[in-house]
Amino acid sequence: MEKRLQAALQEGEQVKWSGRPAQFRLMHSTYRSAVVLTWLMSACVVLLVGYFLAPYYLNHTLTGDMLLAALVMIFMPTMLSVRPLLDKRTLEKETVYAVTDRRAIAVVKDDVMAMPLEDLKAVAKDWDGTCANLYFGKAAEVPVYKSRVYAMSGVREYTDELNGLIFYHVEEPEALVRCLPEVQLVRSDVSGRIFPAV
């Protein structure tokens, strides 16, 4: 068993299921517009900074302070542009999920997020026949195009208290669903139909 998961378990807690996100396409149709919009906005900021600095550069009046301010303005959109790639790598390589006899657990890098199974409702969405996303608690209300971001951080409303978890792109979700007390399974190939726990 993964060492990080083993370290997250409470005394006597038994793992019923564990897994990790399967590899996925960065530009999947559900997320494509959000990724492209982020990249376009970042490119616009970089072009605007270049446009405003060009006259100073051409007149040889570009100062160190102006250059530093430009670098700061370019840094943020650059980081936003790279984030989808970093999130994909983190989810695929540094994330592990588990359902125990007590809790649903997501270990993302070294961050352990857990919610008690008692009274915890789960919804499985975006089922493509092989993989699905599982939304626990308040995560079921998260728009699908934001699920990668919330899979990294968990859902927290107004405080640091964890209100929801997302198990992102889990293979063979049926095995996971069998471990849960209450779940709705929404298949993407049959719009709007809800399948009860198997």
Side-chain angles (χ1 to χ4, degrees):
M1 182 186 306
E2 171 99 26
K3 288 180 182 176
R4 293 175 303 151
L5 176 57
Q6 186 69 43
L9 296 177
Q10 298 170 346
E11 189 176 338
E13 191 171 17
Q14 299 295 315
V15 175
K16 296 162 64 177
W17 176 91
S18 68
R20 54 179 62 244
Q23 289 190 343
F24 57 89
R25 291 181 301 137
L26 178 67
M27 298 299 275
H28 184 275
S29 60
T30 307
Y31 309 96
R32 185 181 303 129
S33 59
V35 173
V36 170
L37 183 62
T38 300
W39 288 349
L40 284 175
M41 287 174 52
S42 298
C44 287
V45 169
V46 170
L47 289 173
L48 278 172
V49 169
Y51 174 77
F52 285 114
L53 288 182
Y56 296 102
Y57 177 77
L58 294 173
N59 293 331
H60 304 289
T61 57
L62 185 64
T63 65
D65 290 344
M66 293 171 72
L67 189 57
L68 181 62
L71 289 174
V72 168
M73 287 188 287
I74 290 173
F75 177 76
M76 192 60 135
T78 302
M79 289 309 296
L80 285 173
S81 295
V82 172
R83 182 173 177 170
L85 299 168
L86 295 175
D87 287 354
K88 177 178 176 5
R89 184 188 178 285
T90 298
L91 284 168
E92 290 179 350
K93 305 288 185 198
E94 301 179 60
T95 301
V96 64
Y97 302 129
V99 173
T100 71
D101 53 347
R102 302 176 197 169
R103 304 179 295 161
I105 302 171
V107 182
V108 180
K109 289 190 177 180
D110 293 322
D111 187 20
V112 177
M113 298 175 284
M115 296 185 72
L117 280 183
E118 187 177 344
D119 299 324
L120 184 63
K121 293 184 180 174
V123 177
K125 298 180 185 176
D126 313 318
W127 192 17
D128 61 10
T130 307
C131 297
N133 297 344
L134 265 85
Y135 300 78
F136 296 91
K138 291 280 187 181
E141 300 167 12
V142 168
V144 174
Y145 69 92
K146 291 185 177 181
S147 59
R148 286 182 187 167
V149 173
Y150 284 110
M152 299 283 297
S153 63
V155 177
R156 302 169 199 273
E157 293 180 346
Y158 312 116
T159 65
D160 284 341
E161 184 182 344
L162 187 67
N163 295 310
L165 280 177
I166 298 175
F167 285 10
Y168 187 81
H169 205 64
V170 176
E171 281 186 309
E172 300 178 9
E174 301 92 335
L176 171 53
V177 165
R178 287 187 197 102
C179 299
L180 300 171
E182 185 174 346
V183 68
Q184 291 180 326
L185 196 57
V186 180
R187 287 178 41 177
S188 58
D189 60 339
V190 187
S191 179
R193 286 183 61 191
I194 295 175
F195 293 76
V198 212

